[in-house]
Every structure is written in C-alpha cells, then in structure tokens.
Amino acid sequence: MNIKDIARLAGVSPTTVSKILNRKDQNISSQTRTVVLDTIKKYHYTPYARITAQRNTWLVGVCVRETKENMRLVSGIIETLQKHHISTLVVYTSEKSREEQSITELIQSNISALIWEPLNTMQTPTNTTIDNLCAKHDIEVLKLGKDGGKQNYSIDFETLAHDLSAELILAGHRHIACLTNKETPRAFIQGYASILFQRKIMLAEQNCYTSVCNELLQALVNGDITAVVCASWQQAQDLRTQLYTLHIQAPQDFSLVCLQSDAEYALQSADEQTQIDTGAANTNGCASVVYSYLNTPISAYSISYKDFGTYIAQQLQIANQSVVDTDGCARKQDTASDAVFNFIPTHNALTTRASIASPQNNQHERIVIVGSINIDTQLLVDHIPDAGSTVTTTTSHISVGGKGLNYAIGVAKLAHKAVLIGNIGDDSESSMIYKELSRWNIDTKGVVRTKDEQTGKAYICVDKQGASTITILTGANSKLCAQDIIERKHLFKNASLCLIPSEVPLDAAEQACKEAKRQGAQVIFKPVALTEFPKRMAAYIDYIIPNEHELAALCYALKNCAQAHTPHRDDRSAKKAQNALIDHAHMLLNLGIPHVIVTRGEKGCDYFSASSHIHTPSHAFKTIDTTGASDAFICAFATSLLSNDTVERALDDACYAAGYSTTRPGVVQALIDAQTLELYRERHIDTKQNA
C-alpha cells in the first residue's frame, strides 16, 4: 500500500496525505486531518522507505479463508517452513471488506513472501491493489485458487472427478448423478462431464444437483439414477442419511462415491468416538443396525490438504531456491505468465468399495410383501376353549402383527430389504404400526391409512403346551383391493421375491401375483383360511406353502370347483402313496404350481415338485408358543432362496427358524435374526464335516 492508496481510501489528494505525514498540515482542516490519520491507522500504513529498511527475510504471510480444509493446509505450510527455520504469520479472513486490510497488516509485519487465497477469483480492484502493493515491496506471492487458473496453485479436482466417476462406470453404471455445493470447484463438474463424454454416456443436465433435494431423492427411489458421485464426504453422508429414512441403502439400492478431505476424515473419526463414548454404538436391536450402517465407510478418494500445504510451501523461493539480493530481500525468479500449477493428491485406489455395487446387484435382496397388518392381543390360557366353554386368564400381551407385517419384520431381521403393501385404519393403533415398521427400516410407502376404518385385530389364545388358535377382525385389511395394488405397482420394481399370504381379499392377492410376475419376481403364496381358489392364480405362483389343515381346506375347495379336476397318477404311484397329503400336493402341482411345500409342525415339512419329494425333519426345541412358526418358516425360506441356496438348504434353514420361534412367546420377538441363523449354519456345516 502506498500514499496514493491512502489518498484514495481517505478521499483526498496524495499531496494532502504527504503534508499530514510530514507535519506540514497547518492549512488543512482538523476534520480532513482526522480522516487521513484514521485511514493510516486502520491500514497500518508505513512509508515504503521505513519498510525496506526493516525487511525480515525469515517470515512468510498466509491469508486464506477460514475453513476446516484450510486449517489443515496451513498446518502443512507451517511444518514445512519450520524445517527451513522460516516463521509463518497467518490471517484467516472471509470478509471481502477486510481482505486488503489483512494483507496490508501482513506487509507491515515485514513478510518476505505471501501465500494468498483471493476471496474473489476475478481480477477486482482490490486484487489489483494487493498485486501492486506486493510488487512494489518486492514480495513473492503464491496464489491459491480452487478453480486453478494462470499463476494459481490448486488441487486438480478435474482429474479427481474424472477418475472417481470412472469407478462407477467400470462397475456398470450409466445413470450417474453429480452432487456438488456452492463451494465445489467448477473443475469437479468438468471432470464428471468429461468421463461421460469419453464413454459416450449422455450427460443430462437434470442429473447435476447442488443439494440433497427431493428431485434427487425421488430419482434414486424410482431407480432413474443408480449411482451418485459427490464432491465431499459430508454431502455423501447427508444423502445416505436421508435415503435411509426412505429405505434406500448403499450399495444394495444405489452406489455412492465421494472425495474425502483429511479435515472431513478427522471430523468423522471424532463423531464416531463421541458416539462410542456416549454409548450410541452399543445400543441393542435396530438402533445398532442404524448406527452400523451410517458409520460404514463410503467409497472415496482421499485428499490431504496438509500435503497440499506442504507442496505449496515447497514452491516458495525463500524455502527452496531463493535468490538473495544485496539488501537481504528474497526476489522472485521469472516464471511463465501462463503457467498453471495443479496438485494431484495420491489416490492409488478407493479407500473402500463398501458403497459400490453393479446396478444389476443393487436391489437383489428386495422382497415385496402384500399382506395383513394387525394389532395382536395374545391371551395365555390353561387350555384352548371348546365350543360352549369358558376359560379365564390373567396374562395378556399386545403387539403388532398380521402375516404381512410379520413377514416384513422377519425379512428385515434376516438382513434383507422389505417393502410392505397393505392397509391400516385411521385410528390410534396405526401410529403404533408405523413406529414399529420404521424401527426395522421397512419401506412403508405401500402402507396406507384407510379412512373410517379400524386397524385389523387378531385375538390369539395360547395354551400351556404352546398350541394356539387365532381369531381375526379384518378391519382395514378387508378393504385392500386389486385397484390398490395397481396404484402401488411401482413398489414391485426390482423385486426378486414377493410374499403373499391370503389374509387379504383374493382379488388383491391375485393382482399382486400378476404385478410381481410382470417385474420378474418369484411369488411365494401362503393360503390362509381359503374357501375358494381360482385356478387361474396358479399360473402366477412359484411356491405355495400351506400347513396340513390349509392344504386339506384348499383341495376341498378345488374339488368343489367346476374347473377343478382330480390329478391323474398311474396305479403304481397311487399304491405307493395312499395318503391324502401326497394326493393333495399333486393336485396343486397339476394346477401348474411348480413347487409345493407342506409345513407339518413337529413333523418338519415336505417339499413336492414334478420330479422330487423331499422330507425335511424338524429341530428339537422346547416349545412355548407355536403362533409364529409358520411366519418364521416362510421368512427364512425366502431369504435363503435369495442367497442362492439349494432348496434342501433353504428348507433346513426354514425348519430351524420355525423351531427357534417356538421357544419364545409372541411372533415378532420370536422371529430369528441373521446372526443366529448364520451361527446355526456354521454349526450345521461343522457337524456334517465331522460326520
């Protein structure tokens, strides 16, 4: 800053400033004198002659914005310069009105070099003034600019974004969104766009987002976008957190990559430690599942701003290849005026591939359930009442239930994504339903409150031997119809399996079978209290799983249906199997259903197909309550199928899960979880190997 700058700032002529400095201001008004002296004081102005006489060769000034990343950058600068016995004077500023004053103060402190991040990347009057001031005082200047540019030092965000997006393309993604914010360098977007152009992937402007908005969330929910590249870890975490509430997870449903600075990594580590210290990581049940997921590392390229600071410090002539003049001042060597300095952080590979999967695998664990949703009232009695008898009890338990809800929670406990479709009432119990489904991270977009209807109720009597009877008040469940399924058909998209118990109206169940098959999903059908069964439904069912009583009732309904017919088997086969179970199972096979599984309680289960009959024994458990055994069986069988297990393996898992559920009262709390089932699998394999 020189006398002309002070004159401009004070609104007077340079001559006036000179007279006041040299105390020749007798003819100048006291008001003008006060304005000039205040300006001189504000900007710490010292005549150039006094500065050059006191120049400190071993002091570097740093003026940057106050950000977490810049604090790491400054630490790298300071540590590097200290090795050269050079001191550092740092000023953080975010106000354009104070930028010139801050740098003037640094110059007044006799710095020999300046590392400066201009608040305005354009060549403004302020920038020009600072440039001229540094040139006049022969101060070496290194400029930082997030978007690079001539004579600016910056991180090569274009290369980083290019390579980061390429990771998603190599995984098979073609519908990739870019998530940035107002601080993101333009180079990042340019790198994202360049790799799409190189790979001949259409760049859609609507796929570039500057915040986690509803449009982005909806595009991910609908599957229109299968992957997102984020400019920062914090944005990636915000996106992941919001999508979790919508039952969308990485990498099951979409892939996610980001840049992560060392400042963000330090913040993440501190947050994790805080949660551990406060016990958040040690909670039980679904809360620990949420904690575990949101603290799973995101696939990222690491950026060390501290290393960038080291790199910047090493470029200073005073620290590297200074040319010292006779007056002791470090003078800049000539550089090309159009030079561009890009720092490329070392990123040999992603930190992890935990949040990346191919789009074909993104939703392979998605299971859609169409079924009843109830509030269960369980009564523990000495014996199941006979007709005309009365029993009393002093023990009852109220919980959520219904086969649809039970299947959804059972699937979730076995670590698979569950989507539930059904109706509930507009009563107070509906809030209890939503709360429990949310607790297990179950997709509830298909669960709808029905006006002027009550939520379904189930009244369950359980005797001392664990046997039970169930009476159902259908409520809102009875209002679910085919049109409701059509309106919610988008929820079947990308499903691998669809579980449909017939506690809902048959037209809704049939429409659900059709929608599932249109999306390529296999259908598992549970016939509950059926008095009729349209033959046409068989074409949409892959597995039907009745118990012995349900099988007999279903086949009785078929025999009394004009379209039904008795299956034909040769005499030899009939002689070998003179029991109703096999007759009934083959009746269903002849309808076109390829797989029939009959659950038989303590007798295990029997599997039938056109070419095989497999009997799987039950597992020995001390029985307390058998109410949830059927639900546990179906959930374990379905998830085992999704894990590409053999039918034999899936049946054994299902029998174990069913037996396990009888050791606890109720249904939801008795359903087996993934860890328990996996422990059984390991023991089972060890036992077979030892045998």
Side-chain angles (χ1 to χ4, degrees), residues 1-3 6 17 21-22 40 44-54 108 110 136-137:
M1 179 166 287
N2 56 34
I3 196 169
I6 294 297
V17 176
L21 286 172
N22 292 294
I40 292 172
H44 299 276
Y45 173 69
T46 303
Y48 176 60
R50 301 178 200 173
I51 296 175
T52 55
Q54 303 171 3
Q108 296 292 337
N110 304 321
K136 181 174 181 178
H137 296 321

Side-chain angles (χ1 to χ4, degrees), residues 464-512:
K464 291 182 177 180
Q465 286 70 46
S468 62
T469 61
I470 304 174
T471 303
I472 294 176
L473 176 65
T474 57
N477 293 310
S478 64
K479 301 301 179 181
L480 189 69
C481 63
Q483 184 59 37
D484 293 330
I485 301 300
I486 293 172
E487 291 173 358
R488 305 174 208 178
K489 65 181 181 181
H490 61 281
L491 298 173
F492 291 85
K493 185 176 181 181
N494 296 315
S496 295
L497 276 178
C498 184
L499 310 184
I500 306 175
S502 64
E503 286 182 334
V504 297
L506 207 53
D507 68 323
E510 183 177 355
Q511 188 63 42

